[in-house]
Amino acid sequence: MPSEIPLYDIVIIGAGPVGLLLSVALSRWGYKVRHIDNRPVPTATGRADGIQPRSLEILKNMGLKRKVMAHDPARVFEVAFWDPAPGGKIVRTGTWASCPEFLDARYPFTALLHQGLIERVLIEDLEKNGTTVQRPWTITRFETNHKNAEYPVEVDLKNLDSNVTDTVRAKYLFSGEGARSFVREQLGVQIRHKDPISHVWGVMDGVVRTNFPDIKMKCTIHSDHGSIMVIPRENNMVRLYIQIASSTDPDFNPRKTATVEEVQAAAQKIFAPYYCDWDRVEWYSVYPIGQGIADKYTLDHRVFMGGDVCHTHSPKAGQGMNTAFHDAINFAWKMHLVESGFASRDVLSTYEVERKFIAETLLNFDNKYAALFSKRQPSASEVSDAHESGSKETKNEFVEMFKANCEFTSGFGVAYNGNIFNHSDDHRFQHPLIISGSPKIRPGRIMPPSNVTRVVDANVVHLENEIPFNGSFRMFVFAGLGQSPRPDGHQALADFARHLTAPNSFYTRFGYGDASRDIHHDSENPHSRFFSLALVFAAKRSEIEIADLPALFRDYAAKVYADDRKDVRVLESKAAAHAKVGLEGEEGAVVVVRPDGHVGIAVRLVEGRGTVEALEGYFRSFTARDGGLGGGADRVRSQL
Amino acid sequence: MPSEIPLYDIVIIGAGPVGLLLSVALSRWGYKVRHIDNRPVPTATGRADGIQPRSLEILKNMGLKRKVMAHDPARVFEVAFWDPAPGGKIVRTGTWASCPEFLDARYPFTALLHQGLIERVLIEDLEKNGTTVQRPWTITRFETNHKNAEYPVEVDLKNLDSNVTDTVRAKYLFSGEGARSFVREQLGVQIRHKDPISHVWGVMDGVVRTNFPDIKMKCTIHSDHGSIMVIPRENNMVRLYIQIASSTDPDFNPRKTATVEEVQAAAQKIFAPYYCDWDRVEWYSVYPIGQGIADKYTLDHRVFMGGDVCHTHSPKAGQGMNTAFHDAINFAWKMHLVESGFASRDVLSTYEVERKFIAETLLNFDNKYAALFSKRQPSASEVSDAHESGSKETKNEFVEMFKANCEFTSGFGVAYNGNIFNHSDDHRFQHPLIISGSPKIRPGRIMPPSNVTRVVDANVVHLENEIPFNGSFRMFVFAGLGQSPRPDGHQALADFARHLTAPNSFYTRFGYGDASRDIHHDSENPHSRFFSLALVFAAKRSEIEIADLPALFRDYAAKVYADDRKDVRVLESKAAAHAKVGLEGEEGAVVVVRPDGHVGIAVRLVEGRGTVEALEGYFRSFTARDGGLGGGADRVRSQL
């Protein structure tokens, strides 16, 4: 009897980073999630461990960073390069910032702690919102039947302990199963191997005693006895990555292994002349790594995949979990906007387009990086010779490769191409007020971080984090320099407020439509579940009176800011937050930021209805067609 | 049978801020603590709520700040002053930073959350270290019998639920009972009233809806209908303080009270023309406040008191809990140094000397502040007239009083006078290398905060927090500008290391005396429980090789720093941390910081044995006389 089948918004398979972060977001937004994992318990230790600077910003924006940092992760600010020295020794040939100053990162370091601690933070959060990860459960069958328009996906699940089975129906199925994926296999999606070379890696976490001076730094060590990567960890631990075999070896065996003692002995040889003794080993694993990327992330826009299911690569650049986080949030907000009636269903296709492009960039990078890592590097004396002849820079390819890719490995290279969300000259909607070609505010990239003073409580806050990852589009209204914060002195702002709240505007169409709603304590979404506004004046806090602002902004009282903080990156600017988005003149702008923090479009703030007109065109290109016009919108309103 | 009497290092009565923080410190350091409180459960809500900037630094130094901030306290950066306006209304006449920029505060705000949340953090910490607060227990008798040299204090305790009694012996008894103290009464210690005026206050925590624009700010409101203080709180709450009666009223009754509704109605009148409705009230209390200070904090140097037992005052300046924190840590490290055989017993007298002086300063301030708060202030039009005649500044005495006392109320005014710990020209030991009269590094005050780069891991860290509140004296060695970080280029540093580790130096005398001790992972106290070293070079991180340093500093590998970070307060300086302690020349210095973060002495770093000689004289003036010379020191060594 079909009516007895349990119904879910989504079934998520796998409770690694991608599955958990997706589950966290959707659970917070009220979706009914069935989440299973085939492991009996969460990760206890080891595995993925690097949270890149941009991922820390994502966690901050989700209110999860503090809980992760409470585990006191190691912080990597610099990487040291060690190369062969005469006599079979090693010598430090240089260091380099892991997130150099030219990247405007709020947290310019990588945080390192084991995956289990990160999972714990995410599991606690989703449990608070009513979702539990069921273990050990696996998926045994799934099928999409479009005849069932509302819950087209049927999924068979099985408890691996009790062998109890369960059949459920869902709107979506998401696989975050990891590299070995039942869902991907069933779909017949192929893994394409960028690089035919595969490697066997040994990884060991533990506490060492050593006189190697950089044991608390991230290091790449190339010696005549092999290569190793050193990564500091929480709790005084260190992680060593050591390559055990490569498919380029004459006798390559992908099942080659090594004991703890063998790896320790190999490491000791590489570390010479320094000693390296082990107090204890917390985790040790040997695993083959092949580079691969899935041809498709979805076939039918109902069954989706993400994380290691779609892309595998070497662990050396610390990208795995970070790419998974991006996959998760990218899918979460798009599914949310479709299911809540805001966006048309075809926006779901941008998930694969955006994320597969990044995975390909990652694999191209990893490809070259892994090859150079495995290659013996010139020894210090060779480099020194080269340096004297003025060509050092080209000699150590590995170091040059590392430096060139800092932006990407820090996560700030996640730059989506133009599409329906990321306005470009190819977008089907164009308007003269749209800002294009700005080097500071680039659709597809994140908005630069800046500090501002919140007017209501004089708190110094992160502007970019003032609107959390809540599923809404964020409209940052920069009032412009030399504009009075008084409404009678700022006609463009008054016009913007008037036209935005006009009865047929996109803002009103997707509003709650309920004038009696109590918005007193709803500072983020007073009018609409789909939009959050923030207003930034290039003025002193004491000059800004919220009571004098247009009614629109009075309802956003807690989101009005004074752009009055000094920023060392733009010390000469009168208003740092304005300068960081490229606004140095009198005119303001509205910067629309997607729910995941990436810029969608920026429009000049001018008198008249032009600004809202430009935004209207942008949103109309992907919002649901019946929004505000017929039964659909009414249905949405009554649901919210 | 005396042998059956349980023995403790200390019995602590009362689990408010002073008792808990003392208990946290002593439990961490391994003392056996009996801790009781007569309330059946910890504070659930309300009561003290303001953590001042300097107290946040103390919590940070103890590793407790993050857990407190996890409760998302409100943050007060500015205070708004509202004064009477014509027609019985109120108008904002100005705002002022609660911790202005001239104060070099790491956290320039007050954090506000209810006392129960803070207590919870402290209780969790002491439970981790084996101490439990027993409730509801009270003290019924105590007696100091010096014939029992080791455990001279006998205390009778009683469970208020079961009426079970217990007699214990302890080295110390500490009363943190609050204003009504059994211990103080039994000792016959009198409370002196600075100001004979007493007040009845109403205080109400809750969630309001209002159009008063500064409801998220700390405000002092003077109106023709009375005065009120507004303080934002965690969880969208606000606290209102309202004066209900004063002993200056003609019909004063210290037992006068008021209902919730009466206070709300009075507040509404003061807030006019703004409305103020209550969504809910979380806590409400009416209590009389008299200013008072105890004549003595101890009579016999065995039974001590702190917190509200010793000083009571109005809640308006938010000083109560903060003063209690300072009392607790001041007593903790002194008792520790005496009981561990480092300091002579007479240093305990400095507890009362230092803390009573601060309490007296507080009461003098509170006295004037409370009087001005209760006084009707000139209305805005009056002020405005005065302003036009150029004398506004002297007109609003309350605002001027507030501004003048920011340093004190932020906690940075805790400046102890010269004594055996705080070197001055009156100290019994003098030496030509002692730095005196520096405006930057002042014995009795805290060392200014600065950011430096830790050499081993390239982490950017807070220099002043690199040595936690661990009971040790902190010796910050600033190598000086233009000095090479190489040992062969820095004779003064090499000499310092050599003389400090000489067999008869204070450093060696109070060392572990065990060469086989495993110090590999002990970065804070490799040689002695009583000293922690940190070494700061005015150089780039990459120029500093720890392996090249004198052996002394190689054992402190994790405490070597590059003074290479820009600081906006000393932008023009070559080395910011050096500049902040007044070192702009080639010569370095050793800054000795007491375990509680206050500077003890600063000595110039010169070639030869002079630097260590000066430190030797300083420490010898308060260390235990038998240290290193006889059985005493041997006993200490074997204990450690």
Side-chain angles (χ1 to χ4, degrees):
Chain A
M1 300 209 294
S3 64
E4 285 179 11
I5 292 185
L7 302 175
Y8 292 94
D9 290 308
I10 189 165
V11 175
I12 299 175
I13 314 294
V18 66
L20 286 173
L21 202 64
L22 176 61
S23 199
V24 162
L26 295 178
S27 301
R28 286 179 174 189
W29 299 339
Y31 290 96
K32 201 174 163 198
V33 179
R34 177 77 173 254
H35 197 164
I36 65 160
D37 191 276
N38 60 14
R39 296 172 296 167
V41 291
T43 303
T45 184
R47 302 206 181 201
D49 65 353
I51 309 181
Q52 301 295 353
R54 173 58 196 153
S55 298
L56 288 171
E57 294 183 358
I58 289 173
L59 293 175
K60 175 77 180 178
N61 192 246
M62 295 181 77
L64 296 167
K65 175 172 170 282
R66 187 188 279 154
K67 286 181 181 161
V68 170
M69 299 310 281
H71 291 291
D72 282 321
R75 297 170 193 218
V76 166
F77 283 75
E78 287 190 19
V79 178
F81 306 105
W82 288 75
D83 286 310
K89 297 180 177 178
I90 53 171
V91 66
R92 190 198 298 120
T93 51
T95 61
W96 191 256
S98 60
C99 182
E101 282 197 18
F102 69 82
L103 298 172
D104 191 359
R106 197 145 301 261
Y107 314 107
F109 57 83
T110 305
L112 292 129
L113 73 171
H114 78 72
Q115 185 175 327
L117 296 174
I118 301 162
E119 287 180 9
R120 200 179 301 167
V121 171
L122 301 179
I123 289 169
E124 275 171 17
D125 193 89
L126 59 89
E127 285 182 347
K128 258 192 301 188
N129 291 292
T131 299
T132 308
V133 179
Q134 295 182 307
R135 304 166 185 275
W137 280 78
T138 193
I139 180 171
T140 55
R141 186 191 70 89
F142 65 94
E143 189 186 344
T144 308
N145 181 349
H146 289 286
K147 274 187 273 181
N148 188 330
E150 219 178 349
Y151 294 92
V153 191
E154 194 171 281
V155 188
D156 288 351
L157 304 170
K158 183 181 166 188
N159 184 313
L160 292 170
D161 250 1
S162 65
N163 295 314
V164 164
T165 61
D166 199 2
T167 297
V168 305
R169 281 236 177 87
K171 293 174 180 168
Y172 297 90
L173 169 65
F174 189 93
S175 162
E177 296 164 279
R180 275 170 298 197
S181 164
F182 171 83
V183 171
R184 189 189 62 218
E185 198 175 283
Q186 292 292 304
L187 291 176
V189 169
Q190 296 301 309
I191 290 285
R192 219 160 10 92
H193 295 277
K194 278 252 160 203
D195 180 2
I197 301 169
S198 61
H199 302 279
V200 178
W201 281 85
V203 53
M204 194 179 293
D205 287 352
V207 176
V208 300
R209 48 185 67 211
T210 176
N211 58 348
F212 177 67
D214 288 354
I215 196 70
K216 299 272 181 198
M217 305 269 286
K218 181 171 174 178
C219 304
T220 61
I221 306 178
H222 290 103
S223 84
D224 291 335
H225 311 290
S227 297
I228 215 167
M229 181 170 273
V230 176
I231 298 178
R233 301 289 307 267
E234 77 278 10
N235 284 333
N236 215 16
M237 289 196 294
V238 67
R239 165 168 291 189
L240 298 187
Y241 280 111
I242 190 161
Q243 196 170 303
I244 288 174
S246 163
S247 57
T248 58
D249 298 344
D251 59 343
F252 178 62
N253 172 3
R255 273 174 297 276
K256 182 174 176 185
T257 189
T259 64
V260 166
E261 291 72 23
E262 284 165 353
V263 165
Q264 288 176 344
Q268 178 59 76
K269 268 183 96 171
I270 296 171
F271 272 118
Y274 303 103
Y275 67 83
C276 179
D277 301 330
W278 291 77
D279 272 7
R280 65 185 177 89
V281 173
E282 166 146 334
W283 183 65
Y284 173 61
S285 181
V286 171
Y287 51 95
I289 289 284
Q291 270 207 341
I293 190 164
D295 278 337
K296 300 294 295 174
Y297 284 30
T298 181
L299 294 181
D300 60 0
H301 291 180
R302 290 294 184 171
V303 179
F304 286 85
M305 300 176 287
D308 286 359
V309 180
C310 297
H311 37 77
T312 60
H313 44 83
S314 83
K316 284 178 294 287
Q319 294 301 308
M321 181 164 55
N322 298 280
T323 308
F325 283 168
H326 278 96
D327 285 352
I329 65 167
N330 195 294
F331 179 72
W333 70 266
K334 290 170 182 174
M335 175 193 135
H336 168 57
L337 291 187
V338 169
E339 288 309 312
S340 58
F342 180 77
S344 59
R345 181 159 293 279
D346 51 8
V347 306
L348 291 173
S349 65
T350 64
Y351 167 65
E352 179 182 298
V353 172
E354 293 191 337
R355 297 306 307 156
K356 199 175 161 213
F357 167 69
I358 300 299
E360 275 166 356
T361 312
L362 169 59
L363 262 68
N364 283 335
F365 161 72
D366 185 61
N367 200 342
K368 288 182 245 166
Y369 191 77
L372 285 170
F373 187 79
S374 302
K375 195 170 135 185
R376 181 192 172 280
Q377 294 301 313
S379 76
S381 59
E382 291 157 12
V383 170
S384 164
D385 293 347
H387 188 222
E388 278 157 28
S389 67
S391 61
K392 177 188 179 179
E393 296 309 313
T394 54
K395 257 287 169 113
N396 194 323
E397 285 176 277
F398 176 75
V399 172
E400 292 314 304
M401 169 83 192
F402 180 88
K403 292 182 182 179
N405 284 279
C406 283
E407 182 175 19
F408 184 75
T409 55
S410 299
F412 297 102
V414 176
Y416 299 130
N417 291 322
N419 63 22
I420 201 75
F421 291 124
N422 315 320
H423 196 274
S424 74
D425 292 347
D426 299 328
H427 198 281
R428 68 186 182 219
F429 174 76
Q430 297 292 335
H431 190 281
L433 290 178
I434 295 172
I435 297 171
S436 82
S438 163
K440 299 288 187 73
I441 194 85
R442 297 172 289 183
R445 289 181 171 256
I446 59 161
M447 187 170 82
S450 54
N451 287 348
V452 290
T453 304
R454 193 159 55 200
V455 169
V456 281
D457 60 6
N459 275 218
V460 180
V461 296
H462 301 172
L463 179 60
E464 77 279 11
N465 286 322
E466 278 292 283
I467 301 171
F469 184 52
N470 62 6
S472 308
F473 275 84
R474 312 167 187 186
M475 292 198 275
F476 291 93
V477 182
F478 291 89
L481 273 68
Q483 296 281 4
S484 163
R486 304 273 164 174
D488 48 358
H490 201 325
Q491 190 60 41
L493 194 63
D495 288 350
F496 172 78
R498 185 158 61 90
H499 292 296
L500 194 72
T501 52
N504 281 314
S505 78
F506 62 94
Y507 187 81
T508 306
R509 286 204 309 281
F510 290 101
Y512 299 118
D514 174 5
S516 65
R517 192 168 175 276
D518 179 8
I519 62 170
H520 200 91
H521 298 298
D522 188 348
S523 65
E524 275 154 22
N525 294 93
H527 302 148
S528 164
R529 193 177 170 191
F530 304 110
F531 299 102
S532 287
L533 258 71
L535 174 59
V536 186
F537 284 106
K540 288 187 191 152
R541 196 195 73 82
S542 59
E543 294 166 5
I544 303 164
E545 279 298 343
I546 287 168
D548 295 342
L549 297 178
L552 168 70
F553 294 111
R554 293 202 299 273
D555 288 345
Y556 284 99
K559 305 285 174 196
V560 181
Y561 308 91
D563 187 3
D564 61 354
R565 311 302 305 179
K566 284 274 167 229
D567 188 307
V568 287
R569 290 176 185 277
V570 286
L571 261 183
E572 71 296 343
S573 294
K574 279 186 205 151
H578 278 71
K580 283 185 147 195
V581 295
L583 299 173
E584 302 270 13
E586 293 231 335
E587 204 174 77
V590 179
V591 176
V592 176
V593 172
R594 313 175 347 162
D596 59 3
H598 289 253
V599 174
I601 192 172
V603 174
R604 290 161 54 208
L605 179 65
V606 299
E607 294 183 16
R609 55 168 288 115
T611 302
V612 172
E613 207 175 69
L615 295 172
E616 179 78 52
Y618 167 74
F619 281 108
R620 201 178 278 272
S621 65
F622 56 79
T623 45
R625 231 156 274 132
D626 56 357
L629 300 172
D634 289 346
R635 186 174 57 82
V636 171
R637 281 185 191 151
S638 66
Q639 282 175 343
L640 300 179
Chain B
M1 301 210 295
S3 65
E4 285 180 13
I5 290 185
L7 301 175
Y8 293 94
D9 290 308
I10 188 165
V11 175
I12 299 176
I13 314 293
V18 68
L20 286 173
L21 203 64
L22 175 61
S23 197
V24 161
L26 296 178
S27 302
R28 286 180 174 189
W29 300 339
Y31 290 95
K32 201 174 164 199
V33 179
R34 178 76 174 256
H35 197 163
I36 65 160
D37 192 277
N38 61 13
R39 295 171 299 165
V41 291
T43 303
T45 185
R47 300 201 183 205
D49 65 354
I51 308 181
Q52 301 295 354
R54 172 59 195 153
S55 298
L56 288 171
E57 295 184 358
I58 290 173
L59 293 174
K60 175 78 182 178
N61 192 245
M62 297 182 75
L64 296 167
K65 175 171 169 281
R66 189 189 276 154
K67 286 182 182 160
V68 170
M69 298 310 280
H71 290 292
D72 281 321
R75 298 170 193 219
V76 166
F77 283 75
E78 287 191 19
V79 178
F81 305 105
W82 289 75
D83 285 310
K89 296 179 178 178
I90 53 172
V91 67
R92 188 198 300 119
T93 51
T95 63
W96 191 256
S98 60
C99 182
E101 281 195 21
F102 70 81
L103 298 172
D104 190 0
R106 184 86 52 192
Y107 314 108
F109 55 85
T110 305
L112 293 130
L113 73 173
H114 77 71
Q115 186 175 327
L117 296 175
I118 300 161
E119 287 180 9
R120 201 180 301 167
V121 171
L122 301 178
I123 289 169
E124 274 170 20
D125 193 86
L126 59 89
E127 285 181 348
K128 259 192 301 189
N129 291 293
T131 300
T132 307
V133 178
Q134 296 182 306
R135 307 166 182 274
W137 282 78
T138 193
I139 179 171
T140 55
R141 186 191 70 89
F142 64 94
E143 190 185 343
T144 308
N145 180 349
H146 290 285
K147 275 187 273 180
N148 187 330
E150 221 180 347
Y151 294 91
V153 191
E154 193 171 283
V155 188
D156 288 351
L157 304 171
K158 182 180 167 190
N159 184 311
L160 292 171
D161 249 1
S162 64
N163 295 314
V164 166
T165 61
D166 198 2
T167 297
V168 303
R169 282 236 177 86
K171 294 173 179 169
Y172 297 90
L173 169 66
F174 189 94
S175 162
E177 297 165 279
R180 275 170 298 196
S181 165
F182 171 83
V183 171
R184 190 189 63 219
E185 200 176 283
Q186 291 292 304
L187 292 176
V189 168
Q190 296 301 309
I191 290 286
R192 219 160 9 92
H193 295 277
K194 279 252 160 201
D195 179 2
I197 301 170
S198 62
H199 301 280
V200 178
W201 281 86
V203 52
M204 195 178 292
D205 286 353
V207 176
V208 300
R209 49 187 66 212
T210 175
N211 59 346
F212 178 66
D214 287 355
I215 198 69
K216 299 274 181 195
M217 305 271 286
K218 181 169 174 181
C219 304
T220 59
I221 306 178
H222 291 102
S223 84
D224 292 335
H225 311 290
S227 297
I228 215 168
M229 180 170 274
V230 176
I231 298 179
R233 300 290 306 268
E234 78 280 8
N235 285 332
N236 215 14
M237 288 196 294
V238 67
R239 166 170 288 190
L240 298 187
Y241 280 111
I242 190 163
Q243 197 170 300
I244 288 174
S246 165
S247 58
T248 57
D249 298 344
D251 58 343
F252 177 62
N253 172 2
R255 272 175 298 277
K256 182 173 175 184
T257 188
T259 65
V260 165
E261 292 72 23
E262 282 164 353
V263 166
Q264 289 176 344
Q268 178 58 75
K269 266 182 100 172
I270 295 170
F271 272 120
Y274 303 103
Y275 68 83
C276 178
D277 301 330
W278 291 77
D279 272 8
R280 64 185 177 89
V281 173
E282 168 148 330
W283 184 65
Y284 173 62
S285 181
V286 171
Y287 51 95
I289 290 284
Q291 271 206 337
I293 191 163
D295 277 338
K296 301 294 294 172
Y297 283 32
T298 181
L299 294 182
D300 59 0
H301 291 180
R302 290 292 185 172
V303 179
F304 286 86
M305 301 175 284
D308 286 0
V309 180
C310 298
H311 36 77
T312 59
H313 43 84
S314 83
K316 285 178 292 289
Q319 294 301 309
M321 181 164 55
N322 298 280
T323 308
F325 283 168
H326 278 95
D327 284 353
I329 65 169
N330 195 294
F331 178 73
W333 69 266
K334 291 171 181 173
M335 174 192 135
H336 169 57
L337 291 187
V338 168
E339 287 310 311
S340 56
F342 180 77
S344 59
R345 180 159 293 281
D346 52 7
V347 307
L348 290 173
S349 66
T350 65
Y351 167 66
E352 178 181 299
V353 172
E354 292 192 338
R355 296 307 305 157
K356 198 173 163 213
F357 167 70
I358 299 299
E360 275 166 356
T361 312
L362 169 59
L363 263 67
N364 283 335
F365 160 71
D366 185 60
N367 199 342
K368 288 182 244 167
Y369 191 76
L372 284 171
F373 187 78
S374 302
K375 196 169 134 186
R376 181 193 173 277
Q377 295 300 315
S379 77
S381 59
E382 291 157 13
V383 171
S384 163
D385 293 348
H387 188 222
E388 278 156 29
S389 67
S391 61
K392 177 189 182 179
E393 295 308 313
T394 54
K395 256 294 172 104
N396 195 323
E397 286 176 275
F398 177 75
V399 172
E400 292 314 304
M401 168 83 190
F402 181 88
K403 292 183 182 180
N405 284 280
C406 284
E407 183 175 20
F408 184 76
T409 54
S410 299
F412 297 101
V414 176
Y416 298 131
N417 290 325
N419 63 22
I420 200 74
F421 291 124
N422 316 320
H423 197 274
S424 72
D425 293 346
D426 298 329
H427 198 281
R428 65 185 182 220
F429 174 75
Q430 297 292 333
H431 191 282
L433 290 178
I434 294 172
I435 297 172
S436 83
S438 164
K440 297 289 187 70
I441 195 83
R442 296 172 289 184
R445 289 182 171 256
I446 59 161
M447 187 170 82
S450 55
N451 287 348
V452 290
T453 304
R454 193 159 55 201
V455 169
V456 281
D457 61 4
N459 275 216
V460 180
V461 297
H462 302 173
L463 179 61
E464 77 280 10
N465 286 321
E466 279 291 284
I467 302 172
F469 183 53
N470 62 6
S472 308
F473 274 84
R474 314 166 187 186
M475 293 198 276
F476 291 92
V477 182
F478 292 88
L481 272 68
Q483 296 281 3
S484 162
R486 304 272 163 174
D488 49 358
H490 201 326
Q491 190 59 41
L493 195 63
D495 290 348
F496 172 76
R498 186 159 59 92
H499 293 295
L500 194 72
T501 52
N504 280 314
S505 79
F506 64 93
Y507 187 81
T508 307
R509 287 204 310 281
F510 290 102
Y512 299 119
D514 174 6
S516 66
R517 191 167 176 276
D518 178 9
I519 63 169
H520 199 92
H521 298 299
D522 189 349
S523 66
E524 274 154 24
N525 294 94
H527 301 150
S528 165
R529 193 178 170 190
F530 304 111
F531 298 103
S532 288
L533 258 71
L535 172 59
V536 187
F537 285 107
K540 285 187 192 155
R541 196 194 75 81
S542 58
E543 295 165 6
I544 304 164
E545 278 298 342
I546 286 167
D548 295 341
L549 297 177
L552 168 69
F553 294 112
R554 293 204 298 273
D555 289 345
Y556 283 99
K559 305 286 175 195
V560 181
Y561 308 91
D563 188 3
D564 62 352
R565 310 304 304 177
K566 284 273 165 231
D567 188 308
V568 288
R569 289 176 185 277
V570 286
L571 259 183
E572 72 295 342
S573 295
K574 278 185 207 153
H578 278 71
K580 283 185 148 194
V581 294
L583 299 173
E584 302 271 12
E586 292 231 337
E587 202 173 78
V590 180
V591 177
V592 176
V593 172
R594 317 181 337 169
D596 59 2
H598 290 253
V599 174
I601 191 171
V603 174
R604 290 161 53 208
L605 179 65
V606 298
E607 294 182 18
R609 54 168 288 116
T611 302
V612 171
E613 207 176 68
L615 295 172
E616 179 77 52
Y618 167 74
F619 280 108
R620 202 178 276 272
S621 64
F622 57 79
T623 45
R625 232 156 274 135
D626 55 358
L629 301 174
D634 289 346
R635 185 174 57 82
V636 170
R637 281 187 191 150
S638 66
Q639 282 177 345
L640 299 179

